[in-house]
Amino acid sequence: EATGLDLVEFVGLGFALYAQRATWTPGAEMYVRAAFDTALSREKVDRFLSLTSHTAEEFKEKFSGSSGSWAFRPFEERPILRLGDDLLVLDEGFMVERVLSGLYWLVHDHEAAAHGDRARHLWTMAYGEMIEAMALESLRTIAPPLLGGGSTLVTEGDFASAFPGRRCDAGIDFGEFYCLFEIVSGQVSTKTRVEGSFEAFQKDTERLVLDKVDQLSQTANSILANPSKIPGLSHLPGRRIVPVLVNLGTYPVNPLTMRYLSEEMQVRAYLQDPRITPLCVIDIGELEILEAL
Protein backbone atom coordinates (compact mmCIF):
# COMPACT_ATOMS: atom_id res chain seq x y z
CA GLU A 1 0.00 0.00 0.00
CA ALA A 2 2.83 2.40 0.83
CA THR A 3 4.87 1.77 -2.32
CA GLY A 4 2.30 0.59 -4.85
CA LEU A 5 4.50 -2.48 -5.36
CA ASP A 6 4.72 -5.99 -4.01
CA LEU A 7 7.53 -6.43 -1.46
CA VAL A 8 9.43 -8.82 -3.76
CA GLU A 9 9.08 -6.39 -6.68
CA PHE A 10 10.40 -3.45 -4.68
CA VAL A 11 13.35 -5.31 -3.17
CA GLY A 12 14.08 -7.11 -6.45
CA LEU A 13 14.33 -3.92 -8.48
CA GLY A 14 16.61 -2.43 -5.82
CA PHE A 15 18.99 -5.37 -5.86
CA ALA A 16 19.00 -5.50 -9.66
CA LEU A 17 20.42 -1.97 -9.67
CA TYR A 18 22.68 -2.71 -6.70
CA ALA A 19 24.16 -5.72 -8.50
CA GLN A 20 25.03 -3.62 -11.55
CA ARG A 21 26.78 -1.04 -9.34
CA ALA A 22 28.56 -3.62 -7.17
CA THR A 23 29.98 -5.52 -10.16
CA TRP A 24 31.05 -2.43 -12.12
CA THR A 25 34.66 -2.40 -13.35
CA PRO A 26 36.67 0.51 -14.77
CA GLY A 27 35.90 1.02 -18.44
CA ALA A 28 32.43 -0.53 -18.25
CA GLU A 29 29.22 1.44 -18.69
CA MET A 30 28.31 3.20 -15.43
CA TYR A 31 24.72 3.96 -16.30
CA VAL A 32 21.62 1.77 -16.49
CA ARG A 33 18.80 2.57 -18.84
CA ALA A 34 15.64 3.63 -16.97
CA ALA A 35 13.73 0.95 -18.89
CA PHE A 36 16.17 -1.75 -17.75
CA ASP A 37 15.47 -5.38 -18.56
CA THR A 38 12.78 -6.70 -16.24
CA ALA A 39 9.56 -8.67 -16.48
CA LEU A 40 7.78 -5.89 -14.59
CA SER A 41 5.78 -3.24 -16.40
CA ARG A 42 7.24 0.19 -17.10
CA GLU A 43 4.55 1.60 -14.81
CA LYS A 44 5.92 -0.42 -11.87
CA VAL A 45 9.51 0.52 -12.70
CA ASP A 46 8.52 4.19 -12.79
CA ARG A 47 6.75 3.79 -9.45
CA PHE A 48 9.91 2.28 -7.97
CA LEU A 49 12.07 5.09 -9.36
CA SER A 50 9.68 7.71 -7.97
CA LEU A 51 10.55 6.42 -4.48
CA THR A 52 14.29 5.85 -4.97
CA SER A 53 15.61 8.45 -7.44
CA HIS A 54 15.91 12.18 -8.09
CA THR A 55 17.03 14.25 -11.04
CA ALA A 56 20.02 16.57 -10.62
CA GLU A 57 17.61 19.51 -10.34
CA GLU A 58 15.62 17.77 -7.61
CA PHE A 59 18.80 16.99 -5.66
CA LYS A 60 19.86 20.63 -5.97
CA GLU A 61 16.53 21.75 -4.51
CA LYS A 62 16.74 19.23 -1.64
CA PHE A 63 20.28 20.21 -0.71
CA SER A 64 19.60 23.93 -0.92
CA GLY A 65 17.87 23.74 2.45
CA SER A 66 20.49 21.51 4.06
CA SER A 67 23.44 22.54 6.19
CA GLY A 68 26.34 20.75 7.81
CA SER A 69 29.06 18.43 6.58
CA TRP A 70 26.97 15.29 7.16
CA ALA A 71 23.72 16.35 5.51
CA PHE A 72 23.51 13.31 3.22
CA ARG A 73 19.84 12.61 3.86
CA PRO A 74 18.65 13.35 0.29
CA PHE A 75 21.11 10.69 -0.98
CA GLU A 76 19.86 8.22 1.65
CA GLU A 77 16.24 8.81 0.67
CA ARG A 78 16.96 8.74 -3.08
CA PRO A 79 20.24 6.87 -3.78
CA ILE A 80 19.71 6.89 -7.56
CA LEU A 81 20.54 9.83 -9.86
CA ARG A 82 18.20 10.06 -12.85
CA LEU A 83 19.75 11.71 -15.93
CA GLY A 84 17.18 11.61 -18.70
CA ASP A 85 16.78 7.93 -19.56
CA ASP A 86 19.92 6.95 -17.62
CA LEU A 87 20.21 5.85 -13.97
CA LEU A 88 23.27 5.95 -11.72
CA VAL A 89 23.37 4.35 -8.26
CA LEU A 90 25.26 6.93 -6.20
CA ASP A 91 25.97 4.76 -3.16
CA GLU A 92 25.69 0.99 -2.78
CA GLY A 93 25.09 1.11 0.96
CA PHE A 94 22.34 3.69 0.66
CA MET A 95 20.75 1.58 -2.09
CA VAL A 96 20.57 -1.51 0.12
CA GLU A 97 19.25 0.47 3.08
CA ARG A 98 16.55 2.13 0.99
CA VAL A 99 15.02 -1.16 -0.17
CA LEU A 100 15.44 -2.99 3.16
CA SER A 101 15.46 -0.96 6.39
CA GLY A 102 14.20 2.03 4.40
CA LEU A 103 10.84 0.28 4.03
CA TYR A 104 10.12 1.39 7.60
CA TRP A 105 10.25 5.04 6.54
CA LEU A 106 8.16 4.47 3.42
CA VAL A 107 5.35 3.03 5.53
CA HIS A 108 5.93 5.67 8.23
CA ASP A 109 5.47 8.54 5.76
CA HIS A 110 2.54 6.83 4.01
CA GLU A 111 0.64 6.25 7.26
CA ALA A 112 1.12 9.88 8.27
CA ALA A 113 -0.04 11.21 4.90
CA ALA A 114 -2.94 8.79 4.38
CA HIS A 115 -4.23 8.21 7.92
CA GLY A 116 -2.78 10.88 10.20
CA ASP A 117 -0.28 11.17 13.01
CA ARG A 118 -1.95 8.56 15.24
CA ALA A 119 -1.58 5.92 12.51
CA ARG A 120 2.08 6.88 12.09
CA HIS A 121 2.61 6.46 15.83
CA LEU A 122 0.88 3.07 15.86
CA TRP A 123 3.10 1.90 13.00
CA THR A 124 6.22 3.01 14.88
CA MET A 125 5.11 1.04 17.94
CA ALA A 126 4.20 -2.04 15.90
CA TYR A 127 7.54 -1.98 14.07
CA GLY A 128 9.42 -1.79 17.35
CA GLU A 129 7.49 -4.75 18.72
CA MET A 130 8.15 -6.77 15.56
CA ILE A 131 11.91 -6.39 15.58
CA GLU A 132 12.08 -6.91 19.35
CA ALA A 133 10.19 -10.17 18.85
CA MET A 134 12.71 -11.11 16.15
CA ALA A 135 15.59 -10.40 18.54
CA LEU A 136 13.97 -12.46 21.30
CA GLU A 137 13.60 -15.35 18.87
CA SER A 138 17.34 -15.21 18.24
CA LEU A 139 17.97 -15.27 22.00
CA ARG A 140 15.79 -18.37 22.34
CA THR A 141 17.96 -20.07 19.73
CA ILE A 142 21.17 -18.96 21.45
CA ALA A 143 20.11 -20.22 24.90
CA PRO A 144 21.77 -23.60 25.64
CA PRO A 145 19.30 -26.45 26.27
CA LEU A 146 19.30 -28.14 29.67
CA LEU A 147 20.03 -31.85 29.98
CA GLY A 148 16.75 -33.58 30.66
CA GLY A 149 14.75 -30.73 29.08
CA GLY A 150 14.06 -27.13 29.93
CA SER A 151 15.56 -23.81 28.89
CA THR A 152 18.30 -21.57 30.19
CA LEU A 153 16.38 -18.54 28.92
CA VAL A 154 14.61 -16.34 31.49
CA THR A 155 12.07 -13.84 30.14
CA GLU A 156 11.03 -10.41 31.36
CA GLY A 157 7.91 -12.00 32.80
CA ASP A 158 10.02 -14.45 34.79
CA PHE A 159 12.08 -11.58 36.19
CA ALA A 160 8.88 -9.69 37.05
CA SER A 161 7.64 -12.66 39.07
CA ALA A 162 10.95 -12.92 40.94
CA PHE A 163 11.92 -9.29 41.59
CA PRO A 164 10.29 -5.89 42.11
CA GLY A 165 11.38 -2.81 40.17
CA ARG A 166 12.48 -2.52 36.55
CA ARG A 167 13.52 -5.64 34.63
CA CYS A 168 15.43 -6.33 31.44
CA ASP A 169 14.03 -8.28 28.49
CA ALA A 170 15.82 -11.62 28.95
CA GLY A 171 18.59 -13.54 30.67
CA ILE A 172 20.55 -16.60 29.56
CA ASP A 173 22.62 -18.89 31.79
CA PHE A 174 25.85 -19.87 30.03
CA GLY A 175 27.38 -21.51 33.09
CA GLU A 176 30.45 -19.42 33.79
CA PHE A 177 28.60 -16.26 32.73
CA TYR A 178 25.02 -15.10 33.16
CA CYS A 179 24.04 -12.77 30.31
CA LEU A 180 21.33 -10.14 30.66
CA PHE A 181 19.80 -8.68 27.50
CA GLU A 182 17.87 -5.48 26.93
CA ILE A 183 16.54 -4.72 23.44
CA VAL A 184 16.10 -1.17 22.14
CA SER A 185 14.73 -0.31 18.71
CA GLY A 186 14.55 3.50 18.67
CA GLN A 187 16.26 5.77 16.16
CA VAL A 188 18.61 8.66 16.88
CA SER A 189 17.25 12.08 15.96
CA THR A 190 18.15 13.99 12.80
CA LYS A 191 19.81 16.65 14.95
CA THR A 192 22.21 14.01 16.26
CA ARG A 193 22.84 12.09 13.06
CA VAL A 194 22.95 14.92 10.55
CA GLU A 195 23.63 18.14 12.45
CA GLY A 196 26.01 16.65 15.02
CA SER A 197 24.28 18.36 17.96
CA PHE A 198 25.83 17.23 21.26
CA GLU A 199 22.71 18.28 23.18
CA ALA A 200 20.57 16.11 20.89
CA PHE A 201 23.06 13.25 21.29
CA GLN A 202 22.76 13.53 25.08
CA LYS A 203 18.97 13.30 24.86
CA ASP A 204 19.15 10.35 22.46
CA THR A 205 21.64 8.59 24.75
CA GLU A 206 19.33 9.09 27.72
CA ARG A 207 16.32 7.78 25.81
CA LEU A 208 17.90 4.94 23.83
CA VAL A 209 20.69 3.70 26.09
CA LEU A 210 20.91 4.96 29.66
CA ASP A 211 17.23 4.35 30.42
CA LYS A 212 17.69 0.77 29.17
CA VAL A 213 20.96 0.35 31.07
CA ASP A 214 19.03 1.26 34.23
CA GLN A 215 16.83 -1.79 33.60
CA LEU A 216 19.90 -3.99 33.11
CA SER A 217 21.47 -2.60 36.27
CA GLN A 218 18.40 -3.10 38.46
CA THR A 219 17.98 -6.67 37.19
CA ALA A 220 21.67 -7.47 37.76
CA ASN A 221 21.58 -6.07 41.30
CA SER A 222 18.44 -8.08 42.10
CA ILE A 223 20.06 -11.30 40.88
CA LEU A 224 23.25 -10.64 42.83
CA ALA A 225 21.23 -9.96 45.98
CA ASN A 226 19.00 -13.03 45.67
CA PRO A 227 20.08 -15.47 42.93
CA SER A 228 17.97 -18.33 44.32
CA LYS A 229 14.84 -16.68 42.89
CA ILE A 230 16.03 -17.55 39.36
CA PRO A 231 15.59 -21.25 38.49
CA GLY A 232 18.94 -23.04 38.33
CA LEU A 233 20.81 -20.04 39.72
CA SER A 234 20.99 -20.87 43.42
CA HIS A 235 24.56 -19.59 43.77
CA LEU A 236 26.91 -17.19 41.98
CA PRO A 237 30.41 -17.77 43.41
CA GLY A 238 32.96 -17.09 40.68
CA ARG A 239 30.28 -16.38 38.10
CA ARG A 240 29.92 -13.01 36.43
CA ILE A 241 27.00 -11.16 34.93
CA VAL A 242 27.39 -9.86 31.37
CA PRO A 243 25.02 -6.97 30.49
CA VAL A 244 24.19 -6.75 26.77
CA LEU A 245 22.26 -3.97 25.06
CA VAL A 246 20.92 -5.11 21.67
CA ASN A 247 20.73 -1.92 19.62
CA LEU A 248 18.26 -2.44 16.77
CA GLY A 249 18.19 1.23 15.80
CA THR A 250 20.86 3.69 14.69
CA TYR A 251 22.68 4.58 17.92
CA PRO A 252 26.42 4.98 17.08
CA VAL A 253 28.83 2.63 18.86
CA ASN A 254 32.47 3.72 18.83
CA PRO A 255 35.23 4.46 21.39
CA LEU A 256 33.97 8.02 21.97
CA THR A 257 30.33 7.09 22.60
CA MET A 258 31.30 4.10 24.75
CA ARG A 259 33.58 6.30 26.88
CA TYR A 260 30.72 8.77 27.34
CA LEU A 261 28.41 5.93 28.36
CA SER A 262 30.98 4.59 30.81
CA GLU A 263 31.34 8.00 32.46
CA GLU A 264 27.57 8.43 32.73
CA MET A 265 27.13 4.94 34.18
CA GLN A 266 29.74 5.67 36.85
CA VAL A 267 27.93 8.88 37.84
CA ARG A 268 24.60 7.03 38.04
CA ALA A 269 26.09 3.91 39.70
CA TYR A 270 24.81 1.66 36.90
CA LEU A 271 26.46 -1.79 36.55
CA GLN A 272 29.26 -0.91 38.99
CA ASP A 273 29.40 -4.16 40.99
CA PRO A 274 32.77 -5.91 40.35
CA ARG A 275 30.87 -9.10 39.53
CA ILE A 276 29.36 -7.35 36.50
CA THR A 277 31.43 -7.09 33.32
CA PRO A 278 31.52 -3.86 31.22
CA LEU A 279 28.43 -3.14 29.15
CA CYS A 280 28.32 -4.75 25.68
CA VAL A 281 26.41 -2.90 22.95
CA ILE A 282 25.69 -4.98 19.83
CA ASP A 283 23.51 -4.51 16.76
CA ILE A 284 21.07 -6.90 15.12
CA GLY A 285 23.73 -8.16 12.70
CA GLU A 286 26.03 -9.10 15.56
CA LEU A 287 23.14 -10.81 17.37
CA GLU A 288 22.52 -12.89 14.23
CA ILE A 289 26.23 -13.77 14.11
CA LEU A 290 25.95 -15.06 17.69
CA GLU A 291 22.89 -17.07 16.67
CA ALA A 292 24.80 -18.55 13.72
CA LEU A 293 27.70 -19.52 16.00
Side-chain angles (χ1 to χ4, degrees):
E1 182 183 351
T3 65
L5 296 167
D6 180 86
L7 176 63
V8 173
E9 294 171 342
F10 188 82
V11 175
L13 287 170
F15 272 88
L17 290 169
Y18 166 81
Q20 188 275 341
R21 178 68 177 82
T23 58
W24 178 84
T25 56
E29 177 60 61
M30 294 183 65
Y31 300 99
V32 176
R33 302 293 291 178
F36 58 92
D37 188 24
T38 172
L40 298 179
S41 67
R42 182 59 191 265
E43 180 183 4
K44 289 190 173 183
V45 173
D46 288 342
R47 177 60 182 160
F48 170 80
L49 293 175
S50 73
L51 298 168
T52 58
S53 70
H54 271 328
T55 63
E57 291 74 20
E58 288 169 333
F59 273 125
K60 181 179 178 180
E61 181 181 351
K62 290 290 183 180
F63 277 109
S64 65
S66 300
S67 62
S69 302
W70 304 99
F72 299 147
R73 190 168 177 177
F75 288 149
E76 293 180 272
E77 294 177 344
R78 300 288 193 275
I80 301 172
L81 173 63
R82 198 165 67 247
L83 296 168
D85 291 330
D86 291 328
L87 306 173
L88 177 65
V89 176
L90 297 171
D91 187 278
E92 298 167 40
F94 288 165
M95 185 74 248
V96 172
E97 289 174 8
R98 183 57 172 168
V99 298
L100 295 181
S101 57
L103 290 170
Y104 164 81
W105 293 108
L106 288 169
V107 178
H108 175 279
D109 295 345
H110 170 77
E111 289 297 294
H115 306 293
D117 194 61
R118 174 170 167 75
R120 176 201 62 77
H121 180 65
L122 289 173
W123 161 246
T124 299
M125 293 175 59
Y127 182 82
E129 291 173 3
M130 284 190 289
I131 57 177
E132 285 183 22
M134 180 180 68
L136 283 171
E137 190 60 36
S138 291
L139 294 179
R140 290 189 183 92
T141 304
I142 290 169
L146 290 172
L147 294 176
S151 174
T152 52
L153 176 72
V154 175
T155 66
E156 183 179 9
D158 297 327
F159 285 134
S161 300
F163 306 119
R166 306 186 74 192
R167 288 86 51 179
C168 64
D169 290 319
I172 298 178
D173 188 354
F174 287 102
E176 182 180 357
F177 297 97
Y178 194 84
C179 288
L180 295 177
F181 295 89
E182 178 64 22
I183 302 165
V184 58
S185 59
Q187 309 287 327
V188 297
S189 64
T190 299
K191 283 185 173 294
T192 295
R193 193 168 64 88
V194 176
E195 299 178 17
S197 166
F198 182 63
E199 291 75 15
F201 168 73
Q202 287 179 303
K203 291 179 180 179
D204 286 339
T205 300
E206 182 71 37
R207 173 174 57 92
L208 298 175
V209 181
L210 291 172
D211 182 63
K212 302 298 182 180
V213 172
D214 181 30
Q215 293 177 237
L216 285 167
S217 187
Q218 290 196 36
T219 306
N221 291 337
S222 296
I223 292 173
L224 291 171
N226 201 342
S228 62
K229 287 195 173 184
I230 300 298
L233 203 66
S234 57
H235 60 87
L236 281 170
R239 303 176 72 183
R240 304 183 72 187
I241 291 179
V242 180
V244 182
L245 184 71
V246 184
N247 169 33
L248 304 181
T250 53
Y251 187 83
V253 178
N254 56 57
L256 290 175
T257 58
M258 293 305 295
R259 178 177 177 178
Y260 175 74
L261 287 176
S262 177
E263 292 171 351
E264 285 296 312
M265 288 189 291
Q266 288 180 11
V267 170
R268 301 164 190 238
Y270 291 166
L271 304 173
Q272 296 303 301
D273 191 288
R275 292 168 290 180
I276 303 174
T277 69
L279 174 69
C280 301
V281 183
I282 64 174
D283 61 25
I284 188 64
E286 290 164 327
L287 178 62
E288 292 179 335
I289 290 172
L290 293 177
E291 181 181 358
L293 288 173

